[in-house]
Amino acid sequence: MDAVWRRRSIRKYLPDPIPEEVVIDLLRAAMSAPSAGNEQPWQFVVIRERRLLDEVPRFHAHAQMIREAPLAILVCGEAEKAKFEGAYWVQDCAAATENILIAATAKGLGSVWLGVYPVAERMEALRRLLGIPEEIVPFALIPIGRPAEEKPPADRYDPQRVHYDRW
Amino acid sequence: MDAVWRRRSIRKYLPDPIPEEVVIDLLRAAMSAPSAGNEQPWQFVVIRERRLLDEVPRFHAHAQMIREAPLAILVCGEAEKAKFEGAYWVQDCAAATENILIAATAKGLGSVWLGVYPVAERMEALRRLLGIPEEIVPFALIPIGRPAEEKPPADRYDPQRVHYDRW
């Protein structure tokens, strides 16, 4: 188990389709994330239609690579499920998103986290494109595919960011 | 590699100390998380002093288990590093936190994510306890130890949360 250390942002993909059972495993990983009060305030849209994927760069400047990807997963939040003080749903959805990236890495797939929330233009455009209801918040978009680029693990460990017992 | 699917919130620990190199590996996992613009807006406080750990339940009602834990890691955010619109540092720190939980699971350790941000009382109390500077935001606290309870994987996969191409 070293996918968590090996994960890199992969932005070039082969066109091969991703089998359904692999997609389910990625979503199972997402739903294995912890959440405040175990609220599981998340929903997912699996985007496979070429036309839909190709629309994304029109409103998301950092999403050009999605034109190559056979698939993307949009992680969405159910903000109204947040019974706790504070917007914990954001943290919960971020954990679910990270789990998808790690599970994809473990399965030899490439993926990249594209920020959506809280950029209103991206959220609105995705709502319109995919018919997402008003109470659901598009949170992060993850293009996924067999990698067409290789990246070594990035060791970002920085001892200056680590404090012991007191700052 | 199945730690991402096996991870559970573990709240009972054996008192055995966690070796330094294991702690470093957990922090290396945290710093392997992606971040918006690769800003890596995170800092970490490794808490091992018994007196400090035992103080936490005074101001965090869900932190009783920390009295048993040999160690906790406080993930902190550097909010001012957020050059992008929106508070992406929250998502980045959540991904780093999730990575610690997964890496701990992979190493046979138990851990649990205790929410700190954005609860002002918890943030302020941790700032005072650990001498954390004003510009640093205490984000999440993770007690860690050899597990004294066993939990099977929780399969939370829910097909009703998955939509294909359109809602």
Side-chain angles (χ1 to χ4, degrees), chain A residues 3 26 55 135:
Chain A
L26 300 181
E55 278 290 316
E135 71 276 14

Side-chain angles (χ1 to χ4, degrees), chain B residues 47-101:
Chain B
I47 315 171
R48 295 177 295 195
E49 219 179 280
R50 188 76 263 153
R51 190 187 67 77
L52 295 173
L53 294 168
D54 287 349
E55 278 289 316
V56 175
R58 289 179 190 263
F59 54 83
H60 196 312
H62 304 300
Q64 299 304 323
M65 82 294 279
I66 205 170
R67 294 188 199 271
E68 279 183 36
L71 178 97
I73 296 176
L74 178 66
V75 180
C76 299
E78 293 186 87
E80 62 181 12
K81 274 214 173 174
K83 70 179 173 191
F84 288 91
E85 57 183 317
Y88 279 124
W89 72 267
V90 171
Q91 303 179 31
D92 301 338
C93 284
T97 302
E98 176 66 0
N99 275 9
I100 292 176
L101 303 184

Side-chain angles (χ1 to χ4, degrees), chain A residues 44-135:
Chain A
F44 305 89
V45 185
V46 178
I47 315 172
R48 296 177 294 195
E49 220 178 278
R50 189 74 263 153
R51 190 188 68 78
L52 295 173
L53 293 167
D54 287 350
E55 278 290 316
V56 174
R58 289 180 191 264
F59 55 84
H60 196 312
H62 304 301
Q64 300 303 323
M65 81 295 279
I66 205 170
R67 294 188 199 273
E68 278 183 37
L71 178 96
I73 296 176
L74 178 67
V75 180
C76 298
E78 293 187 87
E80 62 181 12
K81 273 214 174 175
K83 69 180 174 191
F84 287 89
E85 57 182 317
Y88 279 125
W89 72 267
V90 171
Q91 303 180 31
D92 301 339
C93 283
T97 302
E98 177 67 0
N99 275 8
I100 291 176
L101 304 184
I102 294 170
T105 304
K107 289 179 174 295
L109 297 172
S111 62
V112 61
W113 179 332
L114 299 179
V116 173
Y117 174 87
V119 183
E121 188 201 349
R122 297 177 188 171
M123 293 157 64
E124 274 319 302
L126 283 163
R127 271 215 184 88
R128 273 197 307 275
L129 184 66
L130 305 172
I132 294 171
E134 200 53 46
E135 71 276 14

Side-chain angles (χ1 to χ4, degrees), chain A residues 1 5 10 30 50 57 74 83 106 136 142 149-150 161:
Chain A
M1 142 70 203
W5 291 277
I10 299 296
R50 189 74 263 153
L74 178 67
K83 69 180 174 191
I136 301 294
I142 312 171
E149 65 175 336
E150 262 188 60
R161 295 171 183 275

